[in-house]
Amino acid sequence: MVIVFLLAGLAALAALVGLHWYVWRRLVRDTTAGPGLARRAGTVVFVALPVMMIAALAAERGGAPFWLQRTLAWPGFLWLALFIYLGLALIAGEAVRPLLRRFLERRGPDRALVPPLQLRKTESVPAGAPESPEAAKGATGTPEGQDTPDTPGSSPRLLAAPSRRLFVSRVVAGSAAAVAAGTVGYGTYGVLRGPRVKRVTVPLAKLPRGAHGFRIAVVSDIHLGPVLGRGFAQKVVDTINSTQPDLIAVVGDLVDGSVKDLGPAAAPLAQLRARHGAFFVTGNHEYFSGAQQWVEEVRRIGLRPLENARVELPAFDLAGVNDIAGESEGQGPDFTKALGDRDTSRASVLLAHQPVQIHDAVEHGVDLQLSGHTHGGQLWPGNFVADLANPTLAGLERYGDTQLYVSRGAGAWGPPTRVGAPSDITVVELASRQA
């Protein structure tokens, strides 16, 4: 088993190095005329940023000093997002490259690519004088793509033009860089501005008429950590409170770090306000950083943890189970403990971080499960992978008599960036079919 993991790790490392080499080649080597400052600087960037990316991931999971995590997180995680879209844009550019070269071939020789501002004169020459053979080559044997200095008495000449191949490489690379930077910039802005409110109505057959319109604010995957801190938590709290919910459900992955490092960042959650209170269940990331400590911390600031437990509200039963990741610590989900002895004539709502827990929910007659975990894929085309790994990627679906609602989450893991999967806080309004 160790050998299998080792081989998988080596394969992943080889793939990462190969992809970085490809992006470096297209962005740096192919866009520079030869060895020089620009190529050296680009190479340094393509070594330093991947190292910071790996170091940021290792520092977070390894529990490194928090100041070091914060130092590495922004450049390292943003590079991860930027690298993804640089690679995708450059791969798409491979289809454009031959078309652009063919178009330029029809325009004439390479020197036609030189803008008029690149013409230089060393001394006047009668109009209509023929161009010297040296000028036609780009200046007395000077390699194509390099500038040549003016010398007294020399004949007028064009600055040496970049070759057609070099010109095409620069156009494709520049376009790819602009697309990638714009995509990541907009996706990062979307996260940092805070989640938007989404509303969905869920009819429950067993819900009493008097509970029609009961509102549950569902928030998942806030991911407080070295990037998203106290200010982000305050935005989430303010957004939830603005919806004036009857109940608040925090369904896991609240943090990426220890209580010692992130306790102050989570403090604004004490301001959450709802008529029936705020409830919390663990996600897989809580088990990376001390789940039991976080259970005690959220209880201290006013949230009610549901550790394989149930509370009977006037209109329905609210239950919560631990995340699957807790199984390694003997704290996994226990559906029998949470739901086994309840009155099945009452409506039930289950808080469970991962959508895959829906199958156990169906077996225990749950009416509605509220989950997160998927981030909606977070970074397109990651949604296709996440969709394969989860029964529901995002939104509301029915499994037999049980309905499952999956939130895309309020924050982001790793890069503070979302593309094609906007963050949300969902207000689930329960509807009685008896109304």
Side-chain angles (χ1 to χ4, degrees):
M1 183 62 71
V2 175
I3 295 177
V4 171
F5 279 117
L6 180 61
L7 291 175
L10 291 174
L13 180 61
L16 185 65
V17 171
L19 289 170
H20 272 86
W21 177 84
Y22 166 74
V23 175
W24 168 83
R25 174 185 171 184
R26 286 307 193 197
L27 281 184
V28 179
R29 194 191 75 174
D30 290 356
T31 61
T32 51
L37 179 60
R39 184 175 291 186
R40 286 196 296 270
T43 302
V44 168
V45 168
F46 267 83
V47 172
L49 287 177
V51 168
M52 294 187 76
M53 176 184 73
I54 295 173
L57 292 167
E60 181 185 295
R61 290 298 176 89
F66 196 58
W67 65 266
L68 180 59
Q69 293 185 44
R70 297 184 68 177
T71 301
L72 295 170
W74 275 102
F77 287 141
L78 281 178
W79 172 251
L80 174 58
L82 186 61
F83 172 70
I84 290 171
Y85 292 104
L86 281 172
L88 291 172
L90 287 169
I91 290 171
E94 298 297 344
V96 177
R97 191 181 299 271
L99 299 177
L100 183 56
R101 290 178 64 181
R102 193 171 298 118
F103 170 76
L104 293 174
E105 286 171 358
R106 296 173 181 171
R107 295 287 301 272
D110 285 356
R111 69 172 179 270
L113 301 176
V114 183
L117 290 179
Q118 285 187 281
L119 296 174
R120 287 197 303 195
K121 291 184 178 181
T122 55
E123 55 187 45
S124 60
V125 176
E131 185 179 31
S132 67
E134 290 80 3
K137 288 194 298 181
T140 62
T142 301
E144 189 176 31
Q146 297 184 7
D147 294 345
T148 55
D150 293 333
T151 54
S154 63
S155 60
R157 61 186 180 273
L158 294 174
L159 279 177
S163 69
R164 184 177 293 114
R165 184 185 298 274
L166 184 60
F167 179 79
V168 169
S169 294
R170 288 175 176 175
V171 169
V172 173
S175 300
V179 168
T183 300
V184 172
Y186 184 75
T188 302
Y189 166 75
V191 171
L192 298 182
R193 75 182 176 190
R196 293 295 184 254
V197 175
K198 182 179 179 181
R199 298 180 185 273
V200 61
T201 300
V202 180
L204 297 181
K206 300 176 186 177
L207 190 72
R209 182 180 304 176
H212 182 79
F214 190 100
R215 290 166 300 160
I216 303 175
V218 182
V219 59
S220 73
D221 303 280
I222 300 175
H223 285 288
L224 300 178
V227 174
L228 302 177
R230 186 185 182 103
F232 184 76
Q234 189 66 59
K235 290 179 182 178
V236 170
V237 168
D238 291 344
T239 302
I240 292 173
N241 286 343
S242 71
T243 67
Q244 299 182 322
D246 297 301
L247 184 146
I248 298 167
V250 183
V251 288
D253 280 7
L254 171 62
V255 292
D256 286 308
S258 66
V259 172
K260 175 185 175 182
D261 292 333
L262 296 174
L269 272 69
Q271 304 167 23
L272 289 171
R273 295 291 180 266
R275 186 159 56 99
H276 292 280
F279 295 83
F280 169 81
V281 293
T282 56
N284 56 308
H285 280 246
E286 271 75 53
Y287 292 94
F288 300 152
S289 50
Q292 199 55 45
Q293 292 180 4
W294 276 111
V295 166
E296 296 304 320
E297 180 65 11
V298 298
R299 180 181 285 115
R300 186 187 69 80
I301 61 179
L303 280 70
R304 182 171 177 177
L306 292 175
E307 298 181 274
N308 299 322
R310 180 179 75 254
V311 58
E312 295 181 359
L313 300 175
F316 59 90
D317 293 340
L318 179 70
V321 292
N322 294 346
D323 186 71
I324 299 169
E327 292 176 347
S328 62
E329 301 179 15
Q331 300 174 10
D334 188 335
F335 286 83
T336 301
K337 182 179 178 181
L339 298 161
D341 58 347
R342 72 179 190 87
D343 180 357
T344 56
S345 67
R346 286 168 53 86
S348 59
V349 176
L350 173 69
L351 309 184
H353 177 63
Q354 297 196 39
V356 294
Q357 294 172 285
I358 185 62
H359 305 297
D360 291 297
V362 171
E363 290 181 6
H364 287 82
V366 170
D367 295 290
L368 172 64
Q369 176 178 314
L370 301 175
S371 299
H373 184 64
T374 69
H375 296 208
Q378 185 168 329
L379 296 172
W380 182 93
N383 56 303
F384 296 109
V385 178
D387 197 24
L388 292 174
N390 294 277
T392 296
L393 180 66
L396 182 67
E397 285 194 86
R398 177 177 288 277
Y399 294 83
D401 294 328
T402 303
Q403 296 180 82
L404 168 65
Y405 180 78
V406 181
S407 167
R408 290 188 177 92
W413 177 79
T417 311
R418 284 175 171 264
V419 177
S423 58
D424 69 65
I425 290 168
T426 304
V427 176
V428 174
E429 185 171 313
L430 304 181
S432 172
R433 290 181 176 173
Q434 304 172 28

Short mmCIF file of all heavy atoms in Angstrom, two decimals, residues 391-412:
data_model
loop_
_atom_site.label_atom_id
_atom_site.label_comp_id
_atom_site.label_asym_id
_atom_site.label_seq_id
_atom_site.Cartn_x
_atom_site.Cartn_y
_atom_site.Cartn_z
N PRO A 391 -23.47 12.58 -5.35
CA PRO A 391 -24.77 12.31 -5.97
C PRO A 391 -25.44 13.58 -6.50
O PRO A 391 -26.13 13.53 -7.51
CB PRO A 391 -25.58 11.68 -4.83
CG PRO A 391 -24.89 12.11 -3.57
CD PRO A 391 -23.45 12.22 -3.93
N THR A 392 -25.22 14.70 -5.82
CA THR A 392 -25.74 16.00 -6.28
C THR A 392 -24.63 17.02 -6.15
O THR A 392 -24.00 17.13 -5.09
CB THR A 392 -26.96 16.44 -5.44
OG1 THR A 392 -28.02 15.51 -5.64
CG2 THR A 392 -27.43 17.83 -5.84
N LEU A 393 -24.37 17.76 -7.20
CA LEU A 393 -23.31 18.77 -7.17
C LEU A 393 -23.77 20.03 -6.44
O LEU A 393 -23.05 20.58 -5.61
CB LEU A 393 -22.88 19.11 -8.59
CG LEU A 393 -21.77 20.16 -8.72
CD1 LEU A 393 -20.47 19.62 -8.15
CD2 LEU A 393 -21.59 20.57 -10.18
N ALA A 394 -24.96 20.50 -6.75
CA ALA A 394 -25.52 21.69 -6.12
C ALA A 394 -27.01 21.74 -6.42
O ALA A 394 -27.46 21.22 -7.44
CB ALA A 394 -24.83 22.95 -6.64
N GLY A 395 -27.77 22.36 -5.51
CA GLY A 395 -29.19 22.52 -5.74
C GLY A 395 -30.02 21.44 -5.08
O GLY A 395 -29.54 20.68 -4.22
N LEU A 396 -31.27 21.34 -5.50
CA LEU A 396 -32.25 20.46 -4.86
C LEU A 396 -32.56 19.27 -5.76
O LEU A 396 -32.84 19.43 -6.94
CB LEU A 396 -33.53 21.25 -4.59
CG LEU A 396 -34.67 20.51 -3.88
CD1 LEU A 396 -34.27 20.17 -2.44
CD2 LEU A 396 -35.94 21.37 -3.90
N GLU A 397 -32.48 18.07 -5.18
CA GLU A 397 -32.85 16.85 -5.90
C GLU A 397 -33.59 15.91 -4.95
O GLU A 397 -33.46 16.00 -3.72
CB GLU A 397 -31.61 16.16 -6.48
CG GLU A 397 -31.03 16.83 -7.70
CD GLU A 397 -30.05 15.96 -8.44
OE1 GLU A 397 -30.49 15.15 -9.28
OE2 GLU A 397 -28.84 16.06 -8.15
N ARG A 398 -34.34 14.99 -5.54
CA ARG A 398 -35.12 14.04 -4.74
C ARG A 398 -34.54 12.64 -4.90
O ARG A 398 -34.18 12.20 -5.99
CB ARG A 398 -36.58 14.04 -5.19
CG ARG A 398 -37.46 13.03 -4.48
CD ARG A 398 -38.90 13.14 -4.92
NE ARG A 398 -39.52 14.35 -4.38
CZ ARG A 398 -40.04 14.43 -3.15
NH1 ARG A 398 -39.98 13.39 -2.34
NH2 ARG A 398 -40.60 15.55 -2.75
N TYR A 399 -34.46 11.94 -3.76
CA TYR A 399 -34.03 10.54 -3.72
C TYR A 399 -35.12 9.76 -2.99
O TYR A 399 -35.19 9.79 -1.75
CB TYR A 399 -32.68 10.40 -3.01
CG TYR A 399 -31.55 11.06 -3.76
CD1 TYR A 399 -31.31 12.43 -3.64
CD2 TYR A 399 -30.74 10.33 -4.61
CE1 TYR A 399 -30.29 13.06 -4.34
CE2 TYR A 399 -29.71 10.93 -5.32
CZ TYR A 399 -29.50 12.30 -5.18
OH TYR A 399 -28.49 12.91 -5.89
N GLY A 400 -35.99 9.12 -3.73
CA GLY A 400 -37.14 8.45 -3.12
C GLY A 400 -38.03 9.48 -2.44
O GLY A 400 -38.44 10.48 -3.05
N ASP A 401 -38.31 9.26 -1.16
CA ASP A 401 -39.13 10.21 -0.40
C ASP A 401 -38.29 11.27 0.30
O ASP A 401 -38.82 12.09 1.05
CB ASP A 401 -39.96 9.45 0.66
CG ASP A 401 -40.99 8.54 0.01
OD1 ASP A 401 -41.49 8.89 -1.08
OD2 ASP A 401 -41.30 7.48 0.60
N THR A 402 -36.98 11.25 0.06
CA THR A 402 -36.07 12.20 0.71
C THR A 402 -35.57 13.22 -0.30
O THR A 402 -35.19 12.86 -1.41
CB THR A 402 -34.87 11.46 1.33
OG1 THR A 402 -35.35 10.48 2.25
CG2 THR A 402 -33.96 12.43 2.06
N GLN A 403 -35.57 14.47 0.10
CA GLN A 403 -35.03 15.53 -0.74
C GLN A 403 -33.65 15.94 -0.20
O GLN A 403 -33.42 15.93 1.01
CB GLN A 403 -35.95 16.74 -0.77
CG GLN A 403 -37.31 16.43 -1.39
CD GLN A 403 -38.21 17.65 -1.42
OE1 GLN A 403 -38.13 18.49 -2.30
NE2 GLN A 403 -39.11 17.73 -0.44
N LEU A 404 -32.75 16.28 -1.11
CA LEU A 404 -31.39 16.69 -0.76
C LEU A 404 -31.14 18.07 -1.35
O LEU A 404 -31.31 18.29 -2.55
CB LEU A 404 -30.37 15.70 -1.31
CG LEU A 404 -28.89 16.13 -1.29
CD1 LEU A 404 -28.41 16.29 0.16
CD2 LEU A 404 -28.03 15.11 -2.03
N TYR A 405 -30.73 19.00 -0.48
CA TYR A 405 -30.31 20.32 -0.97
C TYR A 405 -28.83 20.49 -0.67
O TYR A 405 -28.39 20.32 0.48
CB TYR A 405 -31.09 21.47 -0.34
CG TYR A 405 -30.59 22.80 -0.90
CD1 TYR A 405 -30.99 23.21 -2.17
CD2 TYR A 405 -29.65 23.56 -0.22
CE1 TYR A 405 -30.49 24.38 -2.74
CE2 TYR A 405 -29.15 24.72 -0.78
CZ TYR A 405 -29.56 25.12 -2.04
OH TYR A 405 -29.05 26.27 -2.60
N VAL A 406 -28.03 20.84 -1.71
CA VAL A 406 -26.60 21.02 -1.58
C VAL A 406 -26.24 22.47 -1.89
O VAL A 406 -26.50 22.96 -2.99
CB VAL A 406 -25.81 20.08 -2.51
CG1 VAL A 406 -24.31 20.28 -2.33
CG2 VAL A 406 -26.19 18.63 -2.25
N SER A 407 -25.64 23.15 -0.90
CA SER A 407 -25.18 24.52 -1.09
C SER A 407 -23.81 24.52 -1.74
O SER A 407 -22.99 23.62 -1.49
CB SER A 407 -25.12 25.24 0.26
OG SER A 407 -24.40 26.45 0.16
N ARG A 408 -23.52 25.53 -2.55
CA ARG A 408 -22.18 25.68 -3.13
C ARG A 408 -21.18 26.20 -2.10
O ARG A 408 -19.98 26.19 -2.34
CB ARG A 408 -22.20 26.63 -4.32
CG ARG A 408 -22.90 26.09 -5.56
CD ARG A 408 -22.68 27.04 -6.73
NE ARG A 408 -23.27 26.53 -7.95
CZ ARG A 408 -24.49 26.81 -8.38
NH1 ARG A 408 -25.26 27.62 -7.65
NH2 ARG A 408 -24.96 26.31 -9.51
N GLY A 409 -21.67 26.68 -0.98
CA GLY A 409 -20.77 27.15 0.07
C GLY A 409 -20.53 28.64 0.00
O GLY A 409 -20.73 29.28 -1.03
N ALA A 410 -20.09 29.19 1.14
CA ALA A 410 -19.91 30.64 1.24
C ALA A 410 -18.49 31.08 0.93
O ALA A 410 -18.27 32.18 0.44
CB ALA A 410 -20.28 31.11 2.65
N GLY A 411 -17.51 30.23 1.21
CA GLY A 411 -16.11 30.61 1.01
C GLY A 411 -15.44 29.82 -0.08
O GLY A 411 -16.06 29.45 -1.08
N ALA A 412 -14.17 29.51 0.13
CA ALA A 412 -13.41 28.76 -0.87
C ALA A 412 -12.23 28.11 -0.17
O ALA A 412 -11.65 28.68 0.76
CB ALA A 412 -12.92 29.67 -1.99
#
